[in-house]
Amino acid sequence: MNLKGQTTLPKPAPRQVDPQVLAHEIVERLTYRIGKNATAAKPHDWLHAVILAIRDRVIDAWIASTEKTYEQQGRRVYYLSLEFLIGRLMRDAASNMEMLDDMQAALSSLGVDIDIIAALEPDAALGNGGLGRLAACFMESMATVDVPAYGYGIRYVNGMFRQEISDGWQVELPETWLTHGNPWEFERREASYEIGFGGRVDPSENEDASQHQMRWRPAERVIATPYDTPIAGWRGKRVNTLRLWEAQPIDPILLDRFNAGDHLGALTESNRAEALTRVLYPADSSPAGQELRLRQEYFFSSASLQDIVRRHIQYFGDIRTLPDKAAIQLNDTHPAVAVAELMRILLDNHGVDFDEAWDITRRTFSYTNHTLLPEALESWPVPLFERLLPRHMQIVYAVNSRLLGEARRSGQFDDRAIGAISLIDEGGERRVRMGNLAFAGSHSVNGVSALHTELMKETVFADFHRLYPARINNKTNGVTFRRWLMQCNHGLFELVREAIGDRFMDDPEALRELDRFADDSAFQEKFLAVKRANKVALADLLRQRVNARIDPSALFDIQIKRIHEYKRQLLNIIEAVSLYDQIRSHPEKDWVPRVKLFGGKAAPSYHNAKLIIKLAGDVARAVNHDPAVQGLLKVQFVPNYNVSLAEMMIPAADLSEQISTAGMEASGTGNMKFAVNGALTIGTLDGANVEMRDHVGEENIVIFGLTAAQVNERRAHGYDPREVIGQSRELGQALDAIASGVFSPDDPGRYRDLVQGIYDHDWFMVAADFDSYSAAQRRVDGIWHDQALWASKAIHNVARMGWFSSDRTIREYATDIWKVPV
Ligand SMILES: *Cc1c(COP(=O)(O)O)cnc(C)c1O
């Protein structure tokens, strides 16, 4: 019904998609929305006009999806994530709305190059790495497989920092992705909520309130205002909403204070509110201890929960049916405080009794664990938590006493195990354990690869797993093939279509039909030609960006991911040093020309990670200027790794480096993107590499190094890196060269401590895996010498990676956890 009480309203006529209509619409948008004619329009204006034309189609499908969701009255999925690493949206939306070719034709009829304006769109970089990119792939796949879903997160004004390299060192600069406005988002002021912090808790004034009903009187309040971005699934089947919250001061109060002459106070408060959503914590698998981070977590969890509950009450009336209508997925522990927030809403706002509230909560939430690294398991000091969230602290205590009572009564837990299950870490400074809160408050807890899930049962959640043996399950990660094959690798996409038809576009597992072309020499030739074209394009980009000259006929060996010691960029660099040494000592051998490319950001406070970036640059300088290895070895660090750079580098890779210490990478998703783009993987049996080996076949992947079990065993039996180094001449020489300043003559001691760490403890088993890694690299050389064999293996990789589509992952979540039909 509309405002006049009419029930039938005119709907917009269906839009045509053809180049002429589109060209007309673009010019129309340029004129009336941007206020320029074609002569005055700058490239950014064209981009804006194009996005507006695409957006109209997306909106039609968005509204239709919303109407369908309301009619179906089924369960909706809410994906809560502090990070969404989206990248650019223009090509993605146009391609999913099946208008990319027509758009390209329309633009060329207007004399505009789509590639040039596409490159102007800023990356929405609201995430650090894999966890945030997974959330973005999931949003696209949920729309594709027709799951009614909302993503909830924070609209950071500055997303992930922009990385520049100055004199070899990482420099962090703010990423100003909103400078030219964001045509994809819609501000929804009418759906704002108040978020409280601090203050005190009083007993409820309600006469017949239960013993658990309280009234929280926060001392501080901010407003959460949502911005909605439509996310279109493949073929525009469904368009879901990504709702990102922005913090604003409570206006009327501020205005009063401002008018009363307290200008400074009013401004401070306004700045405080806005600071909440200004920055994304640039931390990778390490807790940001700052109070601001906890405030961000509560801010977006509370806003999202209030929104979900408001919507539920509006459509279904009864809060008790929430679990039948809502499935809330927690992407890691960052939104875990939502468990306590829902309890608070149920107890204090809806008067639900404690047991029922806990039952509703557990049936509503599910939690995805992303890391086993002990230093990355989030916890907050009790005094901080209590000061910021006094009511939630009470709820955590109440839940804990119930949880530990249940564990004690089961009779299978000693004091140590009870201590491990507790929501409060009592060892030393008391802390609230967010992983335990998320586990206790969910009906499902999943890992992100088969290996990681098994390790979760044996390590962090071993005692929880005994108490609730049915709760832990696995959902191996995936990536969206629309972005990571069809859009980023147009050449391969067209070649595959030509060979096996279009079915794989709707069913990635149909890529399997490519298997029969793996040994077809004509197909191999075309396949290698596509790879070569992608390498030429990357070489051009690197010439423009970093003035590097790289030869597209060399083997492109690429490691791009966050810089972290467990991911072992250092192992790769040490091997490069050793290879450099071997080539110089044995110039007569038949060396494979290699270009080693590195990219990735280091957390600003992570000293060793930043030093590893500097080392890559130092080694590059020495190697690239040495005529003795010219044409055989090149090393290059590529600055500012982000989604758009990944889209250029991955299609150009011959070799994908996935070499983390076994047991430490929960899944990895970069590994999947490379393989589906026809790179061979050199990797350890870690994370999803294990399942990739099972799918592509062990003859089509190069595996080396200790297994997770062997890593444990070595550590348990007193691993001695010195002994290992003593037995490997190549390793010893490479380490000595680095430690003694061969690559850093300007500061010979620069890497002394870094190398000393390998001698002293080698937490990440670099020395233990070195020889095995180096031998694996020579096996890679052997395969490369036989280009037909290489092509065959690479084609098998493309053919057999279909299972790693995030559509498959989302179907598993939908069926096993959310119980929504797909
Ligand atoms: C896929 C992706 C990642 C994750 O890479 P891993 O190798 O799995 O760590 C990180 N950053 C970006 C930009 C990505 O596209």
Side-chain angles (χ1 to χ4, degrees):
M1 230 170 25
N2 77 346
L3 295 175
K4 289 185 185 149
Q6 295 166 320
T7 47
T8 47
L9 291 170
K11 289 203 174 187
R15 284 167 209 280
Q16 285 176 304
V17 177
D18 78 57
Q20 256 181 327
V21 174
L22 283 174
H24 176 80
E25 286 188 15
I26 292 166
V27 173
E28 212 244 11
R29 302 293 180 281
L30 198 61
T31 315
Y32 296 107
R33 303 293 294 281
I34 294 157
K36 288 195 181 175
N37 65 14
T39 350
K42 297 271 187 307
H44 261 114
D45 301 321
W46 284 107
L47 171 66
H48 214 105
V50 168
I51 289 176
L52 291 175
I54 299 167
R55 199 182 75 172
D56 284 353
R57 264 81 179 172
V58 174
I59 290 172
D60 288 341
W62 197 16
I63 290 172
S65 301
T66 311
E67 286 170 355
K68 189 165 104 185
T69 303
Y70 287 143
E71 277 161 29
Q72 288 173 340
Q73 304 237 324
R75 190 181 267 127
R76 298 174 200 185
V77 172
Y78 297 101
Y79 197 82
L80 269 56
S81 180
L82 207 49
E83 302 188 13
F84 287 92
L85 188 48
I86 298 163
R88 293 180 178 137
L89 273 179
M90 195 263 267
R91 203 178 286 274
D92 193 57
S95 164
N96 276 5
M97 299 309 291
E98 299 179 276
M99 53 190 293
L100 190 56
D101 291 343
D102 289 324
M103 185 56 84
Q104 189 157 0
L107 281 168
S108 79
S109 78
L110 296 167
V112 177
D113 183 338
I114 193 170
D115 293 329
I116 290 177
I117 61 163
L120 294 176
E121 187 180 8
D123 267 45
L126 312 183
N128 276 288
L131 176 151
R133 184 53 232 175
L134 185 77
C137 282
F138 278 9
M139 284 305 297
E140 199 264 6
S141 276
M142 288 191 287
T144 295
V145 307
D146 204 11
V147 169
Y150 296 76
Y152 278 109
I154 288 182
R155 179 182 180 272
Y156 303 102
V157 172
N158 296 309
M160 185 60 181
F161 65 83
R162 190 160 56 82
Q163 179 193 58
E164 278 187 13
I165 300 297
S166 169
D167 187 29
W169 296 100
Q170 167 175 296
V171 179
E172 301 101 27
L173 299 163
E175 183 73 271
T176 48
W177 69 295
L178 294 170
T179 316
H180 292 273
N182 177 4
W184 290 111
E185 68 185 10
F186 293 87
E187 186 183 351
R188 307 288 195 205
R189 270 185 188 252
E190 72 283 7
S192 295
Y193 299 93
E194 270 187 34
I195 312 296
F197 294 101
R200 61 173 209 272
V201 180
D202 296 335
S204 173
E205 307 97 20
N206 186 346
E207 292 269 302
D208 39 50
S210 76
Q211 110 201 41
H212 280 291
Q213 204 170 346
M214 296 287 171
R215 184 158 192 86
W216 176 26
R217 301 186 183 283
E220 263 181 76
R221 290 170 194 279
V222 296
I223 298 285
T225 298
Y227 286 74
D228 287 353
T229 298
I231 304 289
W234 175 232
R235 298 198 196 275
K237 226 188 282 170
R238 165 175 281 282
V239 177
N240 282 328
T241 302
L242 174 61
R243 175 160 276 198
L244 301 177
W245 301 101
E246 180 192 65
Q248 291 168 350
I250 296 184
D251 289 333
I253 302 174
L254 275 186
L255 206 61
D256 283 353
R257 278 175 70 177
F258 204 83
N259 291 340
D262 180 11
H263 298 133
L264 205 61
L267 279 179
T268 314
E269 186 158 325
S270 149
N271 287 342
R272 264 173 86 84
E274 277 149 21
L276 253 181
T277 52
R278 185 139 40 219
V279 294
L280 162 75
Y281 272 96
D284 178 60
S285 9
S286 76
Q290 291 82 348
E291 173 177 335
L292 186 56
R293 169 80 172 199
L294 178 56
R295 284 177 179 261
Q296 286 185 330
E297 293 183 355
Y298 178 67
F299 167 80
F300 107 96
S301 299
S302 173
S304 308
L305 261 289
Q306 291 188 58
D307 199 37
I308 293 166
V309 168
R310 193 256 320 139
R311 188 175 298 116
H312 180 78
I313 298 288
Q314 182 180 339
Y315 288 98
F316 304 107
D318 180 4
I319 190 69
R320 288 174 171 79
T321 60
L322 184 70
D324 305 327
K325 300 296 178 187
I328 305 179
Q329 188 71 38
L330 304 174
N331 192 27
D332 214 324
T333 57
H334 316 143
V337 68
V339 168
E341 175 69 355
L342 180 57
M343 285 295 286
R344 182 187 71 80
I345 292 171
L346 291 167
L347 296 171
D348 299 354
N349 298 1
H350 294 272
V352 178
D353 74 41
F354 191 89
D355 287 348
E356 192 178 5
W358 188 232
D359 178 62
I360 291 171
T361 298
R362 286 214 280 198
R363 287 195 291 130
T364 303
F365 282 107
S366 44
Y367 153 55
T368 304
N369 172 276
H370 283 273
T371 177
L372 305 173
L373 302 184
E375 69 272 22
L377 296 172
E378 257 193 321
S379 67
W380 298 105
V382 165
L384 169 64
F385 199 95
E386 192 156 32
R387 171 164 61 75
L388 226 49
L389 303 168
R391 178 59 182 134
H392 301 79
M393 191 71 243
Q394 293 178 339
I395 289 168
V396 167
Y397 283 138
V399 166
N400 202 32
S401 111
R402 200 195 130 103
L403 171 73
L404 299 186
E406 189 179 334
R408 283 209 186 84
R409 277 193 304 280
S410 79
Q412 39 167 348
F413 297 97
D414 57 14
D415 286 351
R416 184 212 52 81
I418 295 285
I421 289 171
S422 175
L423 304 185
I424 310 293
D425 182 352
E426 308 274 359
E429 179 200 35
R430 301 176 73 230
R431 300 179 77 93
V432 184
R433 290 171 169 150
M434 303 310 272
N436 289 23
L437 178 61
F439 196 115
S442 299
H443 62 278
S444 160
V445 175
N446 73 282
V448 290
S449 73
L451 173 66
H452 166 238
T453 299
E454 284 317 301
L455 294 174
M456 218 165 87
K457 291 179 186 169
E458 292 165 14
T459 59
V460 262
F461 293 131
D463 296 293
F464 260 116
H465 180 52
R466 275 200 292 148
L467 185 59
Y468 303 115
R471 200 167 290 184
I472 296 184
N473 63 92
N474 178 242
K475 298 286 167 281
T476 300
N477 283 168
V479 298
T480 166
F481 282 33
R482 269 76 61 189
R483 183 179 289 265
W484 295 111
L485 172 62
M486 291 158 57
Q487 290 157 36
C488 75
N489 198 341
H490 196 73
L492 183 57
F493 171 57
E494 290 297 343
L495 178 64
V496 173
R497 271 180 94 171
E498 186 188 302
I500 63 170
D502 288 356
R503 200 162 70 86
F504 75 98
M505 292 161 62
D506 297 281
D507 174 13
E509 301 226 29
L511 283 168
R512 191 79 199 201
E513 292 163 33
L514 265 190
D515 251 347
R516 63 194 162 87
F517 293 90
D519 297 310
D520 172 335
S521 60
F523 186 83
Q524 286 181 349
E525 236 164 78
K526 289 189 211 162
F527 179 87
L528 293 175
V530 165
K531 183 61 81 179
R532 163 118 194 155
N534 295 338
K535 291 165 74 172
V536 169
L538 179 61
D540 285 346
L541 183 84
L542 295 186
R543 188 155 29 79
Q544 291 162 27
R545 285 216 190 153
V546 289
N547 199 24
R549 289 177 197 273
I550 60 174
D551 175 6
S553 58
L555 185 164
F556 280 19
D557 166 344
I558 305 189
Q559 186 170 21
I560 42 175
K561 49 183 75 236
R562 299 272 309 170
I563 310 294
H564 202 292
E565 286 164 286
Y566 86 80
K567 291 176 182 278
R568 297 202 294 193
Q569 283 91 357
L570 192 51
L571 175 61
N572 191 348
I573 297 169
I574 295 168
E575 206 278 328
V577 167
S578 163
L579 178 61
Y580 174 44
D581 183 50
Q582 291 174 62
I583 297 175
R584 280 186 306 171
S585 321
H586 303 283
E588 74 289 353
K589 281 200 189 165
D590 192 11
W591 296 105
V592 167
R594 263 195 205 236
V595 175
K596 275 191 172 280
L597 299 176
F598 294 87
K601 294 172 183 173
S605 60
Y606 190 168
H607 176 258
N608 275 359
K610 292 180 129 175
L611 203 52
I612 288 167
I613 292 175
K614 177 69 173 165
L615 176 60
D618 278 345
V619 171
R621 196 180 29 188
V623 169
N624 299 349
H625 289 109
D626 188 339
V629 295
Q630 215 186 7
L632 292 179
L633 184 61
K634 263 249 153 93
V635 177
Q636 181 70 46
F637 186 90
V638 187
N640 203 35
Y641 179 51
N642 61 10
V643 171
S644 293
L645 187 58
E647 288 167 350
M648 285 296 295
M649 292 184 78
I650 291 171
D654 295 305
L655 187 65
S656 156
E657 297 270 356
Q658 307 300 336
I659 60 177
S660 51
T661 315
M664 303 196 86
E665 186 75 89
S667 164
T669 48
N671 47 2
M672 302 168 188
K673 299 169 197 165
F674 278 100
V676 76
N677 280 279
L680 299 200
T681 302
I682 182 166
T684 47
L685 284 177
D686 198 15
N689 293 356
V690 179
E691 290 150 89
M692 281 172 54
R693 178 198 59 175
D694 295 344
H695 279 85
V696 304
E698 60 184 351
E699 66 285 7
N700 298 313
I701 186 168
V702 181
I703 297 292
F704 72 92
L706 300 174
T707 62
Q710 288 165 342
V711 166
N712 272 338
E713 212 168 288
R714 287 288 283 271
R715 286 192 178 137
H717 293 94
Y719 168 54
D720 178 7
R722 276 167 205 282
E723 192 189 316
V724 176
I725 298 165
Q727 286 162 4
S728 171
R729 207 168 58 87
E730 294 296 345
L731 174 60
Q733 281 177 354
L735 289 178
D736 288 348
I738 295 168
S740 65
V742 167
F743 300 98
S744 52
D746 53 322
D747 178 10
R750 183 176 294 143
Y751 303 112
R752 205 177 37 222
D753 292 349
L754 191 67
V755 172
Q756 196 59 40
I758 298 182
Y759 275 93
D760 289 347
H761 47 72
D762 191 18
W763 303 128
F764 301 96
M765 312 301 265
V766 169
D769 274 345
F770 180 82
D771 281 355
S772 170
Y773 177 57
S774 169
Q777 290 287 20
R778 302 296 75 79
R779 292 206 298 281
V780 169
D781 290 347
I783 305 168
W784 184 262
H785 280 306
D786 182 348
Q787 281 289 295
L789 180 64
W790 184 281
S792 161
K793 290 179 189 295
I795 294 164
H796 280 307
N797 269 268
V798 180
R800 298 174 181 183
M801 282 297 292
W803 187 79
F804 294 91
S805 159
S806 45
D807 300 350
R808 184 271 312 154
T809 314
I810 285 301
R811 286 199 183 90
E812 291 182 4
Y813 275 87
T815 305
D816 302 344
I817 303 176
W818 306 329
K819 315 284 185 206
V820 298
V822 279

